[in-house]
Amino acid sequence: MIKMVMDINGKYLPAAGRTMTDLTRVTCETCHHGLAKPRTLRAALTEAVQAKGADSAIALYRTLRLRYFGSAAYDFSEPSLNETGNQLAQVPDNRKAAIAILKLNLEFFPQSIPTWTNLANASVAAGDTAGAVEAINRALAIQPENNQLRNLLQRIKPGG
């Protein structure tokens, strides 16, 4: 990795016309952000789900958030858990974990329409129509004029 950093700074950036300054120079911090093994939050949580399940991933998230929030080591923004839950929901065996991760995101971002929508979709995929209807209704309470949510509700509501 040290050779890679040296090559980036010594060959590739100058060849691209970049002027080297303390602000543009690549360092270990560029990728690692203080972590020995840099990885995304999504990768860490997905690995935890696969190894030990949703509860383990949620415990890991809480630990990482306490330790690293504000340090740029991990992305604790609203889309991060939403994307993780959405990705997990694509695999039938991971749908319950996806729902748990999306609900975790709502603890921190309760007004997140994308998260409520992904929770509704993951609930439908998991066979939980009542959970999906509840998620959409919660989203509609935040954004009552959202026609996409209304249409989704009509499609999944029993008798709709």
Side-chain angles (χ1 to χ4, degrees):
M1 284 191 199
I2 292 171
K3 184 176 178 337
M4 176 185 70
V5 167
M6 290 170 52
D7 285 348
I8 291 170
N9 288 326
K11 295 178 189 175
Y12 302 111
L13 292 179
R18 295 278 299 268
T19 303
M20 297 304 294
T21 69
D22 286 342
L23 296 176
T24 60
R25 187 177 324 278
V26 172
T27 67
C28 296
E29 181 69 17
T30 305
C31 300
H32 284 260
H33 297 285
L35 299 173
K37 179 183 173 188
R39 60 185 177 165
T40 63
L41 184 60
R42 182 187 325 182
L45 296 179
T46 300
E47 288 172 13
V49 164
Q50 292 169 346
K52 295 184 181 176
D55 290 343
S56 175
I58 289 169
L60 175 62
Y61 177 84
R62 292 186 191 288
T63 299
L64 293 174
R65 187 174 173 95
L66 281 173
R67 182 168 181 194
Y68 293 107
F69 187 82
S71 71
Y74 293 99
D75 177 7
F76 295 105
S77 67
E78 177 185 336
S80 187
L81 283 180
N82 191 32
E83 292 166 0
T84 302
N86 193 38
Q87 178 185 352
L88 286 168
Q90 304 306 310
V91 178
D93 288 344
N94 291 338
R95 289 191 177 133
K96 288 185 180 181
I99 289 168
I101 295 292
L102 292 165
K103 286 180 178 179
L104 175 65
N105 202 35
L106 291 167
E107 287 181 31
F108 298 96
F109 304 100
Q111 304 293 308
S112 173
I113 298 301
T115 304
W116 284 113
T117 303
N118 281 338
L119 178 58
N121 288 324
S123 296
V124 167
D128 181 8
T129 303
V133 168
E134 179 185 346
I136 295 169
N137 283 332
R138 296 285 300 270
L140 284 169
I142 299 163
Q143 253 183 23
E145 302 304 318
N146 187 317
N147 287 328
Q148 183 180 7
L149 289 169
R150 289 176 189 222
N151 291 337
L152 180 58
L153 182 62
Q154 285 306 103
R155 284 195 313 271
I156 65 169
K157 204 172 187 181

